[in-house]
Amino acid sequence: MRLRSLFSIAGSGGGAFLRRLGLFLQRQTHELSKRAQKVVCQKKLQTQWPVEKPLVSVIIPCYNYGRFLREAVESVVAQTFQRFEILVINDGSTDELTRRVLDELCYAKTRVIHQKNQGLAETRNNGAVLATGKYICYLDADDSIEPTYLEKALSVLESDESLGSCFSWVQCFAERQSIWETADLDPFYLRQFTTAPSHSVIRRADRKSVV
Protein backbone atom coordinates (compact mmCIF):
# COMPACT_ATOMS: atom_id res chain seq x y z
CA MET A 1 0.00 0.00 0.00
CA ARG A 2 1.42 3.38 -1.04
CA LEU A 3 0.14 5.44 1.84
CA ARG A 4 2.89 8.04 1.70
CA SER A 5 1.76 9.53 -1.57
CA LEU A 6 -1.85 9.55 -0.34
CA PHE A 7 -0.99 11.54 2.76
CA SER A 8 1.21 13.94 0.81
CA ILE A 9 -1.82 14.75 -1.33
CA ALA A 10 -3.88 15.30 1.78
CA GLY A 11 -1.22 17.60 3.17
CA SER A 12 -0.73 19.77 0.08
CA GLY A 13 -4.33 19.92 -1.05
CA GLY A 14 -6.19 18.46 1.88
CA GLY A 15 -9.45 20.32 1.32
CA ALA A 16 -9.92 19.07 -2.24
CA PHE A 17 -8.87 15.55 -1.31
CA LEU A 18 -11.27 15.38 1.63
CA ARG A 19 -14.12 16.70 -0.53
CA ARG A 20 -13.48 13.99 -3.11
CA LEU A 21 -13.24 11.37 -0.39
CA GLY A 22 -16.47 12.57 1.19
CA LEU A 23 -18.25 12.49 -2.17
CA PHE A 24 -16.97 8.97 -2.83
CA LEU A 25 -18.27 7.77 0.54
CA GLN A 26 -21.63 9.45 -0.06
CA ARG A 27 -21.95 7.66 -3.40
CA GLN A 28 -21.05 4.31 -1.88
CA THR A 29 -23.62 4.80 0.89
CA HIS A 30 -26.24 5.85 -1.66
CA GLU A 31 -25.61 2.78 -3.85
CA LEU A 32 -25.85 0.45 -0.85
CA SER A 33 -29.15 2.02 0.23
CA LYS A 34 -30.52 1.64 -3.31
CA ARG A 35 -29.70 -2.06 -3.33
CA ALA A 36 -31.50 -2.50 -0.04
CA GLN A 37 -34.69 -0.88 -1.33
CA LYS A 38 -37.44 -2.95 -2.89
CA VAL A 39 -38.15 -2.11 -6.52
CA VAL A 40 -41.85 -1.45 -7.02
CA CYS A 41 -42.95 -1.62 -10.64
CA GLN A 42 -46.19 -0.03 -11.74
CA LYS A 43 -47.79 0.16 -15.12
CA LYS A 44 -50.44 2.74 -15.92
CA LEU A 45 -52.42 2.61 -19.13
CA GLN A 46 -53.05 5.91 -20.88
CA THR A 47 -55.65 7.43 -23.13
CA GLN A 48 -54.98 7.61 -26.85
CA TRP A 49 -53.46 10.84 -28.15
CA PRO A 50 -55.54 12.56 -30.91
CA VAL A 51 -54.44 11.22 -34.26
CA GLU A 52 -54.48 14.67 -35.85
CA LYS A 53 -51.71 15.84 -33.50
CA PRO A 54 -48.01 14.88 -33.63
CA LEU A 55 -47.07 12.47 -30.87
CA VAL A 56 -43.68 14.12 -30.34
CA SER A 57 -42.34 17.62 -30.90
CA VAL A 58 -38.62 17.81 -31.68
CA ILE A 59 -37.28 21.20 -30.62
CA ILE A 60 -33.99 22.33 -32.19
CA PRO A 61 -32.55 25.58 -30.79
CA CYS A 62 -30.06 27.19 -33.16
CA TYR A 63 -27.61 30.01 -32.52
CA ASN A 64 -24.96 30.39 -35.25
CA TYR A 65 -24.92 26.63 -35.89
CA GLY A 66 -26.04 26.73 -39.51
CA ARG A 67 -23.16 24.50 -40.61
CA PHE A 68 -24.65 21.62 -38.60
CA LEU A 69 -28.36 22.38 -38.69
CA ARG A 70 -29.36 20.47 -41.83
CA GLU A 71 -27.79 17.25 -40.54
CA ALA A 72 -29.73 17.58 -37.26
CA VAL A 73 -33.05 18.19 -39.03
CA GLU A 74 -32.47 15.43 -41.58
CA SER A 75 -31.76 12.93 -38.79
CA VAL A 76 -35.29 13.61 -37.53
CA VAL A 77 -36.87 13.54 -40.99
CA ALA A 78 -35.29 10.10 -41.53
CA GLN A 79 -36.92 8.57 -38.42
CA THR A 80 -38.76 5.27 -38.72
CA PHE A 81 -41.48 6.86 -36.57
CA GLN A 82 -43.03 9.69 -38.56
CA ARG A 83 -45.68 11.18 -36.29
CA PHE A 84 -43.63 14.20 -35.25
CA GLU A 85 -43.23 17.93 -35.73
CA ILE A 86 -39.93 19.80 -35.86
CA LEU A 87 -39.56 23.26 -34.33
CA VAL A 88 -36.33 24.99 -35.30
CA ILE A 89 -35.91 28.07 -33.13
CA ASN A 90 -33.45 30.70 -34.32
CA ASP A 91 -32.13 32.28 -31.13
CA GLY A 92 -31.12 35.56 -32.76
CA SER A 93 -28.31 34.14 -34.91
CA THR A 94 -25.84 36.70 -36.23
CA ASP A 95 -23.86 34.41 -38.52
CA GLU A 96 -24.62 34.98 -42.22
CA LEU A 97 -24.38 31.28 -43.09
CA THR A 98 -26.82 30.35 -40.34
CA ARG A 99 -29.30 33.00 -41.44
CA ARG A 100 -29.15 31.74 -45.01
CA VAL A 101 -29.61 28.11 -43.97
CA LEU A 102 -32.60 29.04 -41.81
CA ASP A 103 -34.19 31.01 -44.67
CA GLU A 104 -33.71 28.09 -47.06
CA LEU A 105 -34.80 25.37 -44.63
CA CYS A 106 -37.70 23.52 -46.22
CA TYR A 107 -38.61 20.13 -44.77
CA ALA A 108 -41.96 18.49 -44.19
CA LYS A 109 -43.46 18.89 -40.70
CA THR A 110 -40.89 21.60 -39.91
CA ARG A 111 -41.43 25.14 -38.65
CA VAL A 112 -38.77 27.82 -38.21
CA ILE A 113 -39.36 30.34 -35.42
CA HIS A 114 -37.26 33.50 -35.08
CA GLN A 115 -36.65 35.31 -31.80
CA LYS A 116 -34.21 37.73 -30.19
CA ASN A 117 -31.28 36.06 -28.45
CA GLN A 118 -32.44 34.61 -25.11
CA GLY A 119 -30.00 31.79 -24.46
CA LEU A 120 -30.33 28.03 -24.76
CA ALA A 121 -32.46 27.34 -21.69
CA GLU A 122 -35.05 30.00 -22.47
CA THR A 123 -35.14 28.96 -26.13
CA ARG A 124 -35.94 25.39 -25.12
CA ASN A 125 -38.69 26.66 -22.82
CA ASN A 126 -40.14 28.76 -25.65
CA GLY A 127 -40.16 25.70 -27.87
CA ALA A 128 -42.01 23.68 -25.25
CA VAL A 129 -44.72 26.36 -25.13
CA LEU A 130 -45.14 26.22 -28.91
CA ALA A 131 -45.04 22.43 -29.11
CA THR A 132 -48.24 20.49 -29.78
CA GLY A 133 -46.95 16.96 -29.22
CA LYS A 134 -47.59 14.73 -26.25
CA TYR A 135 -43.84 14.37 -25.85
CA ILE A 136 -40.89 16.72 -26.31
CA CYS A 137 -37.45 15.87 -27.60
CA TYR A 138 -34.80 18.59 -27.35
CA LEU A 139 -32.14 18.17 -30.03
CA ASP A 140 -29.11 20.45 -30.16
CA ALA A 141 -28.38 21.87 -33.62
CA ASP A 142 -24.98 20.16 -33.78
CA ASP A 143 -26.33 16.72 -32.76
CA SER A 144 -28.26 13.98 -34.55
CA ILE A 145 -30.32 10.93 -33.61
CA GLU A 146 -30.28 7.43 -35.03
CA PRO A 147 -33.19 6.50 -37.36
CA THR A 148 -34.97 4.27 -34.80
CA TYR A 149 -34.45 6.54 -31.78
CA LEU A 150 -37.92 8.08 -31.57
CA GLU A 151 -39.64 4.78 -32.34
CA LYS A 152 -37.85 2.99 -29.52
CA ALA A 153 -38.17 5.80 -26.96
CA LEU A 154 -41.86 6.35 -27.66
CA SER A 155 -42.69 2.66 -27.53
CA VAL A 156 -41.35 2.62 -23.96
CA LEU A 157 -43.17 5.79 -22.89
CA GLU A 158 -46.45 4.81 -24.54
CA SER A 159 -46.45 1.47 -22.76
CA ASP A 160 -46.46 3.01 -19.28
CA GLU A 161 -47.85 6.39 -18.25
CA SER A 162 -45.89 6.36 -15.00
CA LEU A 163 -42.69 6.92 -17.00
CA GLY A 164 -41.75 10.57 -17.52
CA SER A 165 -38.75 10.35 -19.84
CA CYS A 166 -36.67 8.01 -21.94
CA PHE A 167 -33.15 8.37 -23.34
CA SER A 168 -30.24 6.39 -24.67
CA TRP A 169 -26.48 6.18 -24.49
CA VAL A 170 -24.65 8.75 -26.60
CA GLN A 171 -22.01 8.29 -29.28
CA CYS A 172 -19.62 11.23 -29.39
CA PHE A 173 -18.18 12.00 -32.82
CA ALA A 174 -16.10 14.62 -34.67
CA GLU A 175 -13.00 15.51 -32.62
CA ARG A 176 -13.93 13.17 -29.76
CA GLN A 177 -14.77 9.52 -30.43
CA SER A 178 -16.32 7.85 -27.39
CA ILE A 179 -19.49 6.38 -25.89
CA TRP A 180 -21.22 8.20 -23.04
CA GLU A 181 -22.96 5.57 -20.93
CA THR A 182 -25.77 7.68 -19.49
CA ALA A 183 -27.26 6.83 -16.09
CA ASP A 184 -30.72 6.74 -14.52
CA LEU A 185 -32.33 10.00 -13.38
CA ASP A 186 -31.30 9.60 -9.78
CA PRO A 187 -31.80 12.85 -7.77
CA PHE A 188 -28.65 12.09 -5.78
CA TYR A 189 -26.49 12.19 -8.90
CA LEU A 190 -28.44 14.94 -10.66
CA ARG A 191 -27.31 17.34 -7.94
CA GLN A 192 -23.69 16.62 -8.88
CA PHE A 193 -23.50 16.16 -12.65
CA THR A 194 -25.49 15.54 -15.81
CA THR A 195 -26.75 11.97 -16.03
CA ALA A 196 -29.01 12.26 -19.09
CA PRO A 197 -28.48 13.69 -22.58
CA SER A 198 -30.26 16.79 -23.86
CA HIS A 199 -32.13 14.75 -26.48
CA SER A 200 -34.16 12.87 -23.86
CA VAL A 201 -37.78 12.29 -24.87
CA ILE A 202 -39.92 13.88 -22.14
CA ARG A 203 -43.61 13.62 -21.40
CA ARG A 204 -44.79 17.23 -21.88
CA ALA A 205 -47.36 17.07 -19.06
CA ASP A 206 -44.63 16.02 -16.62
CA ARG A 207 -42.41 18.88 -17.76
CA LYS A 208 -45.21 21.32 -16.89
CA SER A 209 -45.58 19.84 -13.43
CA VAL A 210 -41.85 20.27 -12.77
CA VAL A 211 -41.55 23.79 -14.22
Side-chain angles (χ1 to χ4, degrees), residues 78-210:
Q79 290 294 297
T80 54
F81 181 87
Q82 285 287 306
R83 198 176 158 194
F84 60 75
E85 66 173 349
I86 303 173
L87 305 179
V88 178
I89 305 182
N90 173 27
D91 187 28
S93 295
T94 57
D95 175 64
E96 187 60 35
L97 172 63
T98 300
R99 289 180 173 182
R100 185 168 66 251
V101 169
L102 287 163
D103 289 340
E104 296 173 354
L105 209 62
C106 184
Y107 294 92
K109 309 174 187 177
T110 303
R111 286 189 285 160
V112 178
I113 297 100
H114 300 274
Q115 65 177 34
K116 293 181 180 179
N117 182 258
Q118 298 179 39
L120 180 59
E122 194 62 33
T123 301
R124 286 174 174 166
N125 289 335
N126 294 341
V129 172
L130 296 169
T132 61
K134 181 179 182 180
Y135 302 96
I136 292 173
C137 175
Y138 296 112
L139 179 63
D140 290 344
D142 60 339
D143 290 344
S144 61
I145 50 179
E146 289 293 309
T148 59
Y149 177 70
L150 290 180
E151 178 185 357
K152 291 175 179 177
L154 291 168
S155 66
V156 172
L157 291 167
E158 281 289 276
S159 68
D160 189 349
E161 194 175 17
S162 68
L163 301 175
S165 68
C166 183
F167 51 89
S168 65
W169 286 5
V170 179
Q171 179 177 2
C172 302
F173 56 96
E175 69 277 359
R176 180 183 174 187
Q177 303 285 335
S178 62
I179 300 292
W180 172 22
E181 299 181 6
T182 56
D184 292 341
L185 293 178
D186 188 322
F188 175 82
Y189 292 115
L190 283 172
R191 291 193 295 267
Q192 303 171 41
F193 49 81
T194 301
T195 62
S198 59
H199 63 263
S200 303
V201 181
I202 305 166
R203 193 179 299 275
R204 190 155 61 103
D206 288 350
R207 176 198 172 276
K208 289 180 179 178
S209 66
V210 171

